[in-house]
C-alpha cells in the first residue's frame, strides 16, 4: 500500500492524497479493446519525417524509404473489395487485387530495443491513406487479448475489412499464442489485409533480416511468405547523447512529490508487484488511466521471472502513455538479476530498463530542489 504521511515520519505533506495503483482493479470491455487499437499517446504525432536516422546506421534510412513505399502501395481500396490498389514495393498489381495477393503483403521490422521500430510502425499507420477505422495498431499481447474477448471467428470478421494491421512487439514466448495469432494472420492475409510487425524475439533465435528461427517458421508455416523482413540496426536512441540515468530519490522526496502532484499515484514497489499478479496484463493500460505520474518507494530487485515479465508489460504501457516514474530505492538498471539479463528474455528486460530510465528522467522535475 502507499506510504501514508503519518506513518512515514516525514511530517505534514500538503495537498491531496495521491492515488494508488494497488487500489485499482480495472475491467476492460471488448468494445474498448477494439476502439483502442490505434497508436498509443506517445506515438500520436510521430511521422516518418520525425524519425531521425542514425547517420552511422544506413539500415534506418533504408527502413524509412521502404515503409514510405509500403504505405503508398496501400492507397487503393481494400484488396478484397472494389477499387484500385496502387503498385508498391510488395509487387501488387494494378487494378482489382486478387483475394490472396501473389507477393508479400506485409513487412517485419527486426532490430534491437531503442532503434525506433515502434516509431516507424506508428508512422506507417499514420501514413497509410485510409480512415482510422480501417487500420488497427496493437501489441501482440493486445491482439491475443482481443481474440480472447471476441472469440476467433468474431476477431477475423472484425479485422478482415481493415486495410492494415500493425502488430508491435511480436512475441514468441508462448507456442499456443504463436499458433493462434499465426492462424489469425493467415486468415487476414487471405482476406486482403496488409500486415506490419516489429519483432521481440528471444535473442538466441533472432535471425538477421528474417524471422526468428526454424521453430517459428514451422509454427507459422507459409505465413512468412507474406512478409518482407527489414533489419534495423543501431543503438538505443534513448541513450544516444543523453546523460546517465538519474539516481533514485529518497522515500521522503518521492512521497512529498506524490502528494504535491495532482493525478500522481504512490505505491510501495513490492506491493505493486504483488498487485500486478492479480491483474491480467491486458488491463495494465487501463490500470494507468488518467495518471500524471507514478511514484514508487522501496524499489528492490524483482524476485522471479514471472514477476519480471509482468513488470515489462507495465513499463511498456507507462512508456506508451508518457507517464513519468519517480522512484526511491534501487536504480532501474539493477532491477533484474544477472541470470535474467543473460537469459532468454534479456531483450525484454533491457527494453524495460531503457524505457523506465527515460521515464525517470521525465520525472526529475517533480522533485523540489533541495
Amino acid at each position: 500500500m502507499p506510504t501514508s504521511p503519518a506513518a512515514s515520519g516525514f511530517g505534514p505533506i500538503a495537498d491531496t492524497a495521491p492515488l494508488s495503483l494497488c487500489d485499482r482493479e480495472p475491467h476492460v470491455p471488448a468494445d474498448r479493446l477494439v476502439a483502442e487499437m490505434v497508436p498509443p499517446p506517445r506515438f500520436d504525432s510521430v511521422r516518418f519525417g520525425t524519425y531521425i536516422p542514425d547517420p552511422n546506421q544506413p539500415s534506418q534510412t533504408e527502413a524509412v524509404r521502404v515503409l514510405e513505399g509500403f504505405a503508398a502501395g496501400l492507397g487503393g481500396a481494400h484488396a478484397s473489395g472494389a477499387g484500385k490498389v496502387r503498385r508498391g514495393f510488395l509487387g501488387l498489381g494494378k487494378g482489382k487485387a486478387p483475394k490472396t495477393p501473389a507477393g508479400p503483403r506485409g513487412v517485419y521490422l527486426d532490430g534491437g530495443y531503442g532503434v525506433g521500430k515502434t516509431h516507424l510502425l506508428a508512422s506507417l499507420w499514420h501514413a497509410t491513406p485510409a480512415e482510422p477505422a480501417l487500420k488497427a495498431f496493437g501489441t501482440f499481447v493486445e491482439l491475443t487479448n482481443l481474440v480472447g474477448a471476441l472469440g476467433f471467428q468474431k476477431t477475423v470478421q472484425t479485422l478482415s475489412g481493415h486495410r492494415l494491421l500493425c502488430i508491435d512487439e511480436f512475441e514468441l514466448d508462448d507456442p499456443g499464442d504463436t499458433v493462434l495469432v499465426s492462424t489469425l494472420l493467415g486468415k487476414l492475409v487471405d482476406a486482403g489485409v496488409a500486415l506490419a510487425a516489429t519483432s521481440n524475439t528471444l535473442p538466441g533465435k533472432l535471425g538477421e533480416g528474417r524471422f526468428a528461427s526454424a521453430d517459428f517458421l514451422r509454427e507459422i508455416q507459409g505465413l512468412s511468405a507474406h512478409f518482407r523482413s527489414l533489419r534495423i540496426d543501431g543503438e538505443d536512441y534513448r541513450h544516444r547523447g543523453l546523460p546517465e540515468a538519474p539516481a533514485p530519490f529518497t522515500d521522503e522526496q518521492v512521497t512529498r512529490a506524490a502528494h504535491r502532484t495532482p493525478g500522481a499515484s504512490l505505491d510501495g514497489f513490492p506491493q505493486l508487484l504483488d498487485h500486478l499478479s492479480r491483474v491480467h496484463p491486458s488491463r495494465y493500460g487501463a490500470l494507468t488511466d488518467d495518471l500524471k505520474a507514478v511514484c514508487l518507494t522501496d524499489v528492490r530487485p524483482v524476485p522471479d521471472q514471472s514477476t519480471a515479465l509482468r513488470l515489462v508489460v507495465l513499463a511498456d504501457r507507462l512508456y506508451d502513455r508518457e507517464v513519468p516514474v519517480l522512484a526511491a530505492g534501487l536504480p532501474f538498471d539493477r532491477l533484474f538479476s544477472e541470470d535474467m539479463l543473460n537469459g532468454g528474455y534479456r531483450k525484454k528486460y533491457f527494453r524495460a530498463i531503457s524505457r523506465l530510465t527515460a521515464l525517470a528522467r521525465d520525472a526529475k522535475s517533480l522533485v523540489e530542489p533541495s
Side-chain angles (χ1 to χ4, degrees), residues 249-259 266 295-297 326-328:
F249 295 97
T250 66
D251 280 356
E252 178 178 3
Q253 288 174 305
V254 170
T255 300
R256 288 185 179 278
H259 281 262
L266 175 64
C295 298
L296 301 173
T297 58
L326 189 68

Side-chain angles (χ1 to χ4, degrees), residues 129-140:
E131 294 296 321
L134 297 179
K135 302 181 287 188
F137 184 107
T139 64
F140 183 95

Side-chain angles (χ1 to χ4, degrees), residues 97-108:
K99 186 174 181 62
T100 303
R105 195 154 167 81
V107 62
Y108 193 89

Side-chain angles (χ1 to χ4, degrees), residues 182-327:
S182 298
T183 305
L184 172 65
L185 298 188
K187 296 285 189 183
L188 296 179
V189 168
D190 287 345
V193 181
L195 307 174
T198 65
S199 66
N200 186 16
T201 59
L202 305 184
K205 298 181 179 180
L206 185 63
E208 289 290 330
R210 59 183 179 180
F211 288 104
S213 69
D215 290 340
F216 185 39
L217 290 174
R218 283 196 297 270
E219 292 289 348
I220 65 172
Q221 300 176 351
L223 186 59
S224 61
H226 298 296
F227 287 90
R228 169 180 176 174
S229 293
L230 291 177
R231 175 69 184 178
I232 304 175
D233 300 298
E235 63 176 311
D236 185 348
Y237 79 92
R238 287 178 286 269
H239 300 301
R240 200 186 303 162
L242 294 175
E244 292 295 319
F249 295 97
T250 66
D251 280 356
E252 178 178 3
Q253 288 174 305
V254 170
T255 300
R256 288 185 179 278
H259 281 262
R260 193 172 52 249
T261 305
S265 65
L266 175 64
D267 294 277
F269 188 66
Q271 290 75 24
L272 176 59
L273 295 183
D274 184 60
H275 183 61
L276 293 180
S277 69
R278 297 188 292 273
V279 179
H280 193 276
S282 67
R283 301 174 182 173
Y284 287 4
L287 191 70
T288 66
D289 278 353
D290 303 320
L291 282 185
K292 302 304 180 185
V294 167
C295 298
L296 301 173
T297 58
D298 194 21
V299 174
R300 58 180 69 178
V302 178
D304 56 73
Q305 191 122 267
S306 295
T307 302
L309 291 172
R310 288 192 289 268
L311 180 60
V312 168
V313 177
L314 179 64
D316 286 340
R317 301 293 81 79
L318 292 171
Y319 183 78
D320 288 345
R321 288 158 175 77
E322 301 181 291
V323 180
V325 178
L326 189 68

